């Protein structure tokens, strides 16, 4: 795995943990917390959503799903 892929996976995991800790967050909150663009956040959230880990019940608001996750 190359460095940029590894860095992205670490960031996606951190985003997931941040959302899990906060409950419900906006895309902008995540971008500000991690110092990344809204577009990068959206890509990360799409990865998490595709894997059933987060959902957006309201446009621009994100929360974790009840899916069991083993975090290592």
């Amino acid at each position: 795995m190359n460095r940029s892929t590894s860095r992205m996976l670490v960031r996606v995991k951190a985003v997931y943990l941040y959302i899990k800790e906060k409950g419900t967050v906006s895309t902008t909150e995540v971008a500000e917390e991690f110092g990344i663009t809204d577009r990068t956040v959206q890509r990360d959230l799409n990865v998490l959503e595709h894997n059933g880990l987060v959902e957006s019940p309201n446009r621009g608001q994100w929360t974790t799903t009840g899916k069991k996750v083993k975090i290592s």
Side-chain angles (χ1 to χ4, degrees):
M1 183 175 352
N2 65 34
R3 284 180 48 172
S4 63
T5 301
S6 178
R7 199 168 47 239
M8 182 203 65
L9 291 174
V10 168
R11 187 183 64 240
V12 168
K13 178 180 173 182
V15 167
Y16 173 77
L17 292 172
Y18 177 74
I19 297 169
K20 187 172 175 110
E21 177 185 315
K22 295 291 182 178
T24 300
V25 298
S26 70
T27 304
T28 303
E29 285 178 77
V30 176
E32 289 172 358
E33 176 69 21
F34 290 92
I36 54 181
T37 66
D38 284 350
R39 180 66 191 118
T40 300
V41 171
Q42 196 59 54
R43 261 194 312 267
D44 293 351
L45 292 169
N46 286 341
V47 168
L48 291 167
E49 185 176 39
H50 178 77
N51 287 287
L53 299 174
V54 299
E55 61 188 0
S56 180
N58 299 312
R59 184 174 166 90
Q61 297 292 315
W62 294 89
T63 187
T64 56
T65 64
K67 186 172 183 179
K68 298 276 186 199
V69 178
K70 181 180 177 184
I71 298 175
S72 55

